[in-house]
Amino acid sequence: MTVDKESAEPVVHHGLEGVLAFESEVAFIDGHAPELLVRGYDIADLAHNFGYEQMAYLLVYGQVPNADELAAFNTELADLRPLPGPVLDLLRTAPASAHPMAVLRTAVSLLGVLDANADDIDQDSLLAAAKSLTAKFPTLVAAQTRLQAGLEPVGPEGARLGHAANYLYMVDGTEPAEPLRRAFDAALVLYAEHETNASTFACRVVVGTESDLYSAVVAGLGAIKGPLHGGAIDGAMNMLVTIGSADNAAAYVDAALAAKRKLPGFGHRVYRAGDPRASELREMALEMAAAVGDSKWFDIAIAAEKRMAETKGIIPNVDYFAAPVLYQLGFPLNLMTNVVASARITGWSAHIIEQYAKNRLIRPRARYTGERGKRLS
Ligand code: COA
């Protein structure tokens, strides 16, 4: 417990800001540089050179795969893509009013119920469950996307299509053009891992009790759903749609700030000078606008970013430019957080495996501010 030197009172770290809760070899963030390393590699390097399968392998196995390892991993993931019948039934019968992240969270919980080895927490079983979820998340989210649009789900292709290409194929029913596949692959890589963010911390807290991987991922999904975390991407795209045109952006930002509203897609607990993922996604949003011949969303985003910089000096985070990228790839306004979660599964898995390997129950304390000495009689 940290104690204040002057008052000798225990120090409360509100929001656990600046607290190091454990040691990790998965990712490193320098919020000032700014820099994000995953397994020692710079995130921009990974986004430019890796497909999502390589990123997934790097995260869960801790090293870059050679050609044979990657080929075997791709085949393994492709074989794991189909969903069990009861999970598809759940997606079909969930009420339209349910939050898409609540449906995804429930579907993952059901996958755990259907996995006879769900409670095995030895390294091989953990890897098997992590690979199964990595492969199945896109099938879940693509089916959600199509069912919401009143369309039948499109089942996964085999290993002929890579992870990102197959994902877009299951959304659209046609194989994506190469620039779109590449952009999506890079977005998934950028979202795969981000150190001790709230959802990853939630996963590690669950593992700390020696509960199972599915329970940990369900906790991660519950955390990432929130608008201050992964849910910000849906909020960011809704904001761009509400702004409607680049000419309206400054007035919108001014009004929101005057009303003390937080703009989704801006600000970060750790990065104060810039989010390295946002810089990549800004470039990608521009390329996407060119690829689909529509720069409206990019133009609005740039105009609002400029106004935020001029007024409050707050940086766009990963979700800001990812929103128009995913929207122009065909994902609807209320399903982008689901896409983010489908990428983050490998980061969660890496942390879950690491936490089991050197586990200590995570159990912080609170400073009591309630009353004392009360009596019922
Ligand atoms: N819009 C407007 N103002 C913002 C802001 C935003 N998105 N994010 C932070 N601020 C302001 C705060 O109001 C505060 O201003 P003040 O000092 O005048 O009171 C200042 O910046 C510091 O913010 P704070 O709330 O202390 O930062 P935090 O570390 O607690 O919060 C977030 C970080 C991410 C929760 C916060 O920036 C936020 O809510 N962003 C929007 C949601 C989002 O995009 N989340 C995804 C993160 S990847």
Side-chain angles (χ1 to χ4, degrees):
M1 194 179 296
T2 327
V3 174
D4 183 82
K5 286 200 181 101
E6 307 265 300
S7 63
E9 278 285 315
V11 176
V12 177
H13 299 275
H14 292 285
L16 297 184
E17 186 164 0
V19 172
L20 302 182
F22 22 68
E23 293 179 329
S24 175
E25 294 176 2
V26 183
F28 168 77
I29 299 176
D30 180 339
H32 299 289
E35 182 180 43
L36 167 61
L37 305 179
V38 176
R39 300 282 190 200
Y41 297 92
D42 184 75
I43 191 65
D45 191 16
L46 293 167
H48 291 164
N49 294 298
F50 263 13
Y52 185 74
E53 297 92 327
Q54 288 160 297
M55 186 69 171
Y57 192 102
L58 175 66
L59 277 163
V60 297
Y61 286 101
Q63 60 192 45
V64 173
N66 64 31
D68 289 346
E69 287 166 338
L70 182 60
F73 187 60
N74 287 347
T75 308
E76 212 178 343
L77 288 185
D79 289 347
L80 290 164
R81 285 172 186 162
L83 299 177
V87 176
L88 259 176
D89 292 345
L90 167 72
L91 300 184
R92 286 183 198 282
T93 53
S97 58
H99 194 296
M101 278 298 290
V103 177
L104 183 63
R105 189 191 64 218
T106 309
V108 170
S109 198
L110 181 54
L111 283 169
V113 169
L114 298 172
D115 181 348
N117 301 319
D119 288 317
D120 296 345
I121 56 172
D122 60 279
Q123 290 286 302
D124 286 348
S125 303
L126 292 172
L127 273 170
K131 285 186 272 193
S132 176
L133 287 180
T134 300
K136 288 180 176 63
F137 257 101
T139 320
L140 288 167
V141 177
Q144 286 189 280
T145 306
R146 288 185 69 86
L147 287 167
Q148 176 172 291
L151 301 168
E152 264 303 294
V154 170
E157 269 291 312
R160 188 178 67 77
L161 290 184
H163 189 88
N166 175 65
Y167 200 151
L168 292 177
Y169 164 75
M170 291 189 294
V171 169
D172 189 47
T174 58
E175 291 181 31
E178 185 52 17
L180 302 188
R181 194 281 306 163
R182 180 65 214 137
F184 189 47
D185 233 334
L188 294 176
V189 167
L190 289 167
Y191 265 117
E193 161 57 12
H194 205 229
E195 202 228 27
T196 320
N197 56 85
S199 57
T200 302
F201 187 67
C203 292
R204 292 190 77 133
V205 168
V206 172
V207 170
T209 69
E210 294 188 355
S211 185
D212 65 290
L213 179 143
Y214 290 93
S215 297
V217 173
V218 167
L221 285 163
I224 206 169
K225 170 175 178 282
L228 298 189
H229 190 7
I233 189 170
D234 290 1
M237 194 62 221
N238 274 291
M239 178 178 74
L240 297 181
V241 169
T242 305
I243 293 174
S245 109
D247 293 342
N248 300 335
Y252 180 94
V253 170
D254 291 350
L257 292 179
K260 301 252 176 266
R261 276 196 289 124
K262 290 211 173 140
L263 280 80
F266 285 97
H268 200 274
R269 171 61 63 80
V270 183
Y271 301 118
R272 298 293 185 179
D275 181 336
R277 302 164 302 167
S279 315
E280 291 300 311
L281 282 155
R282 183 189 289 102
E283 291 303 312
M284 285 167 56
L286 179 59
E287 285 164 22
M288 179 65 65
V292 301
D294 179 4
S295 70
K296 176 180 172 181
W297 306 117
F298 181 75
D299 295 343
I300 298 172
I302 290 290
E305 180 195 21
K306 182 166 173 284
R307 191 62 176 173
M308 271 300 261
E310 289 165 355
T311 50
K312 195 87 179 161
I314 294 180
I315 53 126
N317 60 49
V318 64
D319 295 320
Y320 190 62
F321 287 102
V325 169
L326 294 188
Y327 194 57
Q328 292 193 301
L329 281 167
F331 290 100
L333 287 173
N334 64 344
L335 267 152
M336 295 186 188
T337 312
N338 298 45
V339 179
V340 171
S342 73
R344 186 56 58 84
I345 179 60
T346 45
W348 289 338
S349 299
H351 282 274
I352 287 169
I353 291 167
E354 187 178 69
Q355 183 69 36
Y356 279 119
K358 29 182 181 170
N359 187 37
R360 182 167 164 80
L361 178 76
I362 299 169
R363 204 296 189 193
R365 297 292 313 277
R367 182 198 285 165
Y368 180 65
T369 57
E371 295 176 63
R372 293 169 202 248
K374 294 167 92 177
R375 293 279 181 274
L376 289 173
S377 59

